[in-house]
Amino acid sequence: MSPNPTGAAQAQPRPYSREWLLSDRPVSRRQARLGRAYIVWRRFAENRLALVGLAIIILLLLVAAFADVLSPHDPVVGDLRNARLLPPGSEGYLLGTDDQGRDILSRLVYGSRLTLLVVVLVAIIAAPIGLIVGTVSGYIGGWADAVLMRITDIFLAFPKLVLALALVAALGPGIENAILAIAVTSWPPYARIARAETMTFRNSEFIAAVKLMGASPLRIILRHVMPLCVSSLIVRVTLDMAGIILTAAGLGFLGLGAQPPLPEWGAMIASGRRFILDQWWVAAMPGFAILVVSLGFNLLGDGLRDALDPKEAGQ
Amino acid sequence: MALSDTSAVTRRNRRRASSAAMGLLRFAVTTLTTVFGLLVVTFFIGRVIPIDPVLAIVGDRAPAHVVERTRIELGLNLPLYQQFFIYVEQALSGNFGTSVLTTNPVFEDIKRVFPATIELATIGTLIGAILGIPLGVLAAVKRGSIADQVVRVIGLIGYSVPIFWLGLLSLVLFYAKLRWVAYPGRIDVVYEYTFTSTTGFFLFDAAWQGQWDVFRDVFRHVILPASLLGYFSLAYISRMTRSFMLNELSQEYIVAARAKGLSETRIIWFHALRNAAVPLVTVIALSYAGLLEGSVLTETIFSWPGLGLYITNSLQNADMNAVLGGTLVIGAVFVGINIFSDLLYRTLDPRTRSR
Amino acid sequence: MTSAVSIRDMVVIYNDFAALNHVSLDVGAGESFGIVGESGSGKSTLLRAISGLASFDQGTLTVNGRSYSGRHRDKAFYRTVQMVFQDPYGSLHPRQTVDRLLLEPLLIHGFDDIEARISRALDEVGLGSGFRFRYSHQLSGGQRQRIAIARALILEPKILLLDEPTSALDASIQAEILNLLEQARRDRNLTFVMVSHDLGVISHMCERLAVMRQGEVVETVPAKALEKREFSADYTRRLLVASEGFRRG
Amino acid sequence: AATPKDTLVLAWAIDDIITLDPGEAFEISAGEIMGNAYDNLVNLDINDTSKVTPGVAASWTVSDDALTYTFKIKPDLKFASGNPITAADVAYTFERAVKLDKSPAFILTQFGLTKDNVTEKAKATDDSTFVLTVDKAYAPSFVLNCLTANVASIVDKALLEEHVADGDFGNGWLKTNYAGSGPFKMMQWRANEILVLERNDNYYGEKAKVKRAIYRHMKESSGQRLALEAGDIDVARNLEPGDLDAIAKNKEIITDAAPKGTVYYFSLNQKNANLAKPEVREALKYLVDYDAIGATLIKGIGEIHQTFLPKGMLGSLDENPYRLDVAKAKELLAKAGLADGFDVTMDVRNTQPVTGIAESVQQTFAQAGVKLSIIPGDGKQTLTKYRARNHDIYIGQWGTDYWDPHSNADTFAANPNNADDAAAKPLSWRNAWDIPELTKETAAALLERDAAKRGAMYEDLQKKVLETGPFVIVFQQTEVAAVRAEVKGYKLGPSFDTNLLSPVSKE
Amino acid sequence: MTTSGTPLLTVEDLRVTFPTRTGEVQAVRGVSFTLGRERLGIVGESGSGKSQTGRAIMGLTPPHAKIAARKLAFGDRDLLAMPKSERRELRGKKVAMILQDPKYSLNPVMTIGRQIVETLKTHEKVSTAEAKARALSMLEAVQIRDPERVFDLYPHEVSGGMGQRAMIAMMLVCGPELLIADEPTSALDVTVQLDVLSILDKLVAERGMGLIFISHDLRLVSSFCDRVIVMYAGKIVEELPSANLADAKHPYTRGLLNCLPTIGTDRHPLPVLDRKREWAL
Ligand SMILES: Nc1ncnc2c1ncn2[C@@H]1O[C@H](COP(=O)(O)OP(=O)(O)OP(=O)(O)O)[C@@H](O)[C@H]1O
Ligand SMILES: Nc1ncnc2c1ncn2[C@@H]1O[C@H](COP(=O)(O)OP(=O)(O)OP(=O)(O)O)[C@@H](O)[C@H]1O
Ligand SMILES: [Mg+2]
Ligand SMILES: [Mg+2]
């Protein structure tokens, strides 16, 4: 840490206390950063719905982590003979069983892993691609922009689900390919956002100032532009997670996503669809799970946006 | 000085002329590259797809030698680049070929199925806009109130619910249990013979021909899927309306309007909404485009004979002509809607009109 | 007096609009040179063209004896020439602390002794290290402009381009910043090229000034000439009258 | 909403139809349409499937050497178009099918008809006499059975010749149009949507009772059930066990069931070293929970059936020796040196009940340590792989091409050439099952003119395939139709093209 | 210029409080003054509460702000007690306000003419033709040379100076008795600034309005107004006639006057304002 002649004289609040975090004269990088995070957190925490969203997502993480402990039955092997299509509340089967005699609750619990896998992988693949394409295109402009945006446009002009369908059809159904297909169709909006945002910064004075420091374009993009796009991208990705879950479920529903006996929620709805009239729970339960989780992501993303970007929330 | 002035002027004029030409050129290039990109992508998907396209033509049970012969007839034994040339050449001459699945020219098929999708998406968007805009405005005006929270949650659920699931449940409720709506398809078989549609838009045709019983029937078919899509677009539209309205309401000209003594109603519905409408048309157009291309699942659930279902079916049968045609049409519509919303944006926003 | 910045016949065209139309200027080494003119007259454009933020189509630019063209500037140029912008709210990166803002130029140019330099720079602009880890939104306008100045000075440039450095600030704070700038110039023997629409500020800060209108330099006069009204252009007179406040009648 | 009295509305998955040209169509749904809209020389007797009944032909004789078949055409018959039906039309039908050489053409060409000799060997000697000459002394039952197939449906020569393009025998036109003489006319077909039949008033036999029959494409069982209960349709054709159970309580709905010539099986590719071991083949047959599957997944839509000939066909063997026996399977696996099990994949098309069975099999395999991973795919996709012999295990169904035991024997029990580039690629070839002995026996059965003896030969073949074959046949499909009570006379036939609509009426 | 009897505007102990995350912010802390038919200037540095004072008088403070005053009266009508609709009726008709930046304070999607007509139609029953005629004459009154053309222009199509004139026309078209001008020229060029001020000056003189002129430019205010109020941190620190500016007592006022660089004076360094904590108490 640097020497701090003036700061030392003032009474500094106890480290990590609320005052310390909220101090508008932080004395160290860490305090500044934590203070910033704390403010974001406070803004976030003011929004009850956002907290509900966060709670849902944490719950999802916990369920996924402790699936082995939580699920009362094997998610894959059922009891076709004795326990087929039992209604919710049947003995030993809280949410009932499906047509293979498998415990729906256990399948939902294990399915949370797949859901997480999908959203995390898609986010990891698509967001950085979009970020790089968008910032480079927006910052460099000219030919690079034209070419990159053409490619983006082509992907945008494709009907998203159809492209995903086509890709999955081409690569063969399966959760990995579904993830890949969703990722391939998800990055263009991120590129658009990152580009639009970059364009607003590109001619701003603080970027001009960095240029006048002699910074190379690469440095400007990496260290000055990207960090600015990241928060809106995080917000967007969080909000998109719901969409990703829905697309994955849609693919699963059309039989092109995760494959049996994997307890993917969309595929579960698809197989439950056949019993919707008499054994409604087979399709209703996984649909409900999807609804809750994507609602969680949406609430979280909404809250994040308000917290990270008060302007956009209209404050 | 005079000399350099004229040079500056000619230079300026040249730039201006070239910028207009550039604009056109850019537009043409955009459209062309997009279409070309669609061609390339569909072609390669069509080739790597692990379905033998021949099977789609000769059927599952064809003996081996028939399969082989058809393969050669289709030119599938040629090198890939040659196939691609043939493919591009045909596509450029407007010949999307024949759908092996329906044995009709793809173009004919699309002419038949696309109106179904348009009808559905249009009604959906209408529902979404007619309900979504007032809700969004209400939420923005009563920001932070219970009403705002309710609108917000309604919207978020719309974003979060798997549409096919909601579709299934609502079918069970409204069709199976309550019998309020009809299912499946666009029209009851009864009317297959008493009603002919000239435009492909059944509601419109029925009204035009004054066949109100048909109209009622078609309406009973379309209302549930359209409402679902409408809910989906309502979620999006209300949310965007809210955010645009919040933005407009915080502008100085709103203060100025208040300073003029205008009533809140006029300020909200006339001044703020009129300004929010500018970005809102883009949002609505995008959501419309989204419904046009994104109704695959809804069409599947409701056996709606539209483009989404057509493409999905074709895809699953490696009927690549049909997939290509459908995709290109959607791509073109997407580009078209973008241009249209751009135009609308220009007419709504005087700042983009130059005099 | 050797000229630090020399501009001949510079033309800058945006799309189809000539923002600078054959501008010629000479700024001597160690001189403080002012540029006045109404909004849109091309003042900022001139500074941006010098610093390489805008590309000029015609004419020549010589800085400390080296000529530059177009948009490209080498690292050595940025060690010589730095700029302070008009808007203290827009010229600081919104997500970086003061520390990070000042660190960046030092890293780019491979300075050593980084800690000391940052502390010194902050002291020099009268802020002290208590401000070191604040984000720009935790600073007032005047404080921000001080940071911007510190950032420009930390590379020890010879020439400082100032684009209306005080026009967004209150009069009382303007005085502080002007004093700070003068002090820095004296201490470091800097050359100033300062843009403002306020004749009072220019005449206070500069030895000579150019009056710009519609992308052209109307005239170049010594600052003293304003006081004695020894100038030829009618436009200059109008500017002068306007700067003296409202007169009924 | 109720359907009109004179219109029968059927909900059925008709998405497999790719053509309505009888010379080309080879799909199950198309078969039913052909059966209702076209007429053959002879028809399958729906009451006794070992016999045929006269169709367009009033009578026929078989020469003593069993090489020449002479048919007398009924007089004064008319096509729906109004054109008279003559022996020339019959000859044209044969010529056309052979020369078009589409998928089902082999049913005729297996009698030695070729493009070069067809005009000689299938010939109209006068307006009412048609003579067919075959190349070997086949069992006449076999030849006549083959003539009941759609490919031999009589087409309207005069009408088709108006629509010839590039010498295609009107094939391009007939794909979506109609040139027949059956009780119904095919009026309109919109793929994946609707197919409309209308009464043919020129039909010589008993006229259809309803004016119109509309097939509405619906894939989903639950959807069909909903529509049926709501009265939007009269007949639902693809109900699954759950829905069948549910409507059983509904008084407004009755069901009709008929076993069909389709068996569901999974097959073990002999190119896979593990699956090639006889013990493994046998072990896997013990690792299927036939009873549970029968009681649940296929309840009402199929019956456990382990031999390759469907029940009701000549020579069919009704013997189901295998049941789930994990201990036995383990023992067999141990004998094969795979006591710890092995990993294997199964290509599954994502339709029911195949998927359900695959999942069930996955669970029972696991009990003996066989780790089965399911590779699902769309029908065309798995089939592409299957045809290329790239699978480990394939699960699917096989429907008879024509109503004769040879149809199935030829594919399950004969493999003339197991090389990769073989000309004939029956199911045994697809699974690389090299069986020269059985191939010979299959050929011999074809030439046995005594029906009883011929049946015995097929029984023997079935036993052998059951014991040693790479096919684990699970069940035979029972086709079920759920019909609204006001519909009278709806009866499913024994084969796919005998689900006749003309006796159906509505109250 | 002051009137006898009740003043046009009476402000007594006006307080404007904003609830924020970190507690309440008092933007205006007990401001009192009266206004006759005269030009009153309010100066002060950024954030001193000038605008909030003006907006509180207009009733344009954001809804979550708390406004309290012992008396806030327009003539003898109590502004705080009257119903909202009545207050709204007053706005634009009797009291009007000009905002700082024409670029943001004109509705970008309406023509200038329509915006002026709108004010008129809100408060008076006039025919469209008459409204247009009056709008045109108002545009002429603010010295727009080609009113017919400008009437149909959109805000982005006119220069800042023109926009500000249009804004003035829009606010004055109903002939208000009180006009609040919140930094009406600070977004404009120095040369244009004076044009706009002289228009305002003329209108006030001709129509006998009361004017509150808000600015941070002490010199400008003192040369333009009759009386000046100096605000600091939400309070009035000094009130004096412009003519007596040189006699200002408060060190803040004096400091403000001193720290401006002017042509002809040679003060290096410039005197700076040394803020005393007690000023803000
Ligand atoms: N990036 C740009 N693209 C197009 N035109 C521009 C651009 N930057 C500036 N201009 C135009 O060039 C002209 C000169 O602009 P400049 O910013 O140099 O004016 P200025 O004298 O600094 O004005 P101000 O006092 O308002 O800052 C203006 O008319 C402006 O509209
Ligand atoms: N909506 C608000 N919420 C919280 N505080 C506010 C709000 N609006 C204004 N303030 C505070 O009120 C104080 C006075 O603001 P006001 O706009 O009146 O200042 P001003 O004197 O007009 O300054 P300027 O010259 O910058 O326009 C400021 O400190 C400001 O931070
Ligand atoms: Mg400038
Ligand atoms: Mg203000």
Side-chain angles (χ1 to χ4, degrees), chain D residues 485-503:
Chain D
E486 57 265 30
V487 176
K488 300 291 169 197
Y490 188 89
K491 191 157 170 27
L492 293 166
S495 69
F496 293 110
D497 36 20
T498 49
N499 295 332
L500 301 180
L501 300 177
S502 58

Side-chain angles (χ1 to χ4, degrees), chain C residues 3-61:
Chain C
S3 69
V5 178
S6 167
I7 293 167
R8 290 276 160 277
D9 267 341
M10 184 179 274
V11 175
V12 172
I13 292 180
Y14 287 123
N15 303 327
D16 50 4
F17 174 77
L20 284 189
N21 203 354
H22 299 280
V23 168
S24 300
L25 279 182
D26 277 291
V27 180
E31 187 186 19
S32 171
F33 187 88
I35 299 172
V36 290
E38 66 186 335
S39 185
S41 58
K43 307 183 297 288
S44 300
T45 304
L46 182 60
L47 294 195
R48 295 176 75 87
I50 296 174
S51 60
L53 293 175
S55 167
F56 54 93
D57 303 48
Q58 283 178 38
T60 58
L61 165 70

Side-chain angles (χ1 to χ4, degrees), chain B residues 208-220:
Chain B
W208 183 257
Q209 297 166 13
Q211 300 205 38
W212 295 109
D213 50 336
V214 178
F215 185 88
R216 259 196 46 196
D217 179 64
V218 172
F219 184 78
R220 274 163 45 90

Side-chain angles (χ1 to χ4, degrees), chain E residues 50-51 100 182-183:
Chain E
K50 308 182 296 289
S51 300
Q100 172 175 7
D182 187 359
E183 314 215 17

Side-chain angles (χ1 to χ4, degrees), chain A residues 45-105:
Chain A
E46 265 170 29
N47 183 342
R48 284 237 185 101
L49 286 176
L51 285 181
V52 171
L54 185 67
I56 292 175
I57 302 310
I58 289 176
L59 197 69
L60 175 73
L61 289 169
L62 289 177
V63 165
F66 298 106
D68 312 343
V69 189
L70 289 171
S71 55
H73 294 270
D74 188 305
V76 179
V77 180
D79 184 352
L80 185 58
R81 254 176 228 247
N82 306 315
R84 189 164 182 264
L85 295 170
L86 295 179
S90 301
E91 202 183 327
Y93 302 102
L94 192 60
L95 299 182
T97 59
D98 68 4
D99 63 318
Q100 291 283 338
R102 296 173 295 209
D103 178 36
I104 293 179
L105 176 64

Side-chain angles (χ1 to χ4, degrees), chain C residues 40 43-45 86 163-164 195:
Chain C
K43 307 183 297 288
S44 300
T45 304
Q86 168 176 12
D163 189 359
E164 314 217 27
V195 161

Side-chain angles (χ1 to χ4, degrees), chain E residues 48-81:
Chain E
S48 56
K50 308 182 296 289
S51 300
Q52 291 309 332
T53 306
R55 288 184 183 215
I57 296 167
M58 289 294 292
L60 293 178
T61 341
H64 62 281
K66 276 185 282 184
I67 304 206
R70 218 171 318 127
K71 190 172 178 197
L72 186 62
F74 177 70
D76 43 17
R77 300 168 69 182
D78 186 347
L79 287 173
L80 289 182

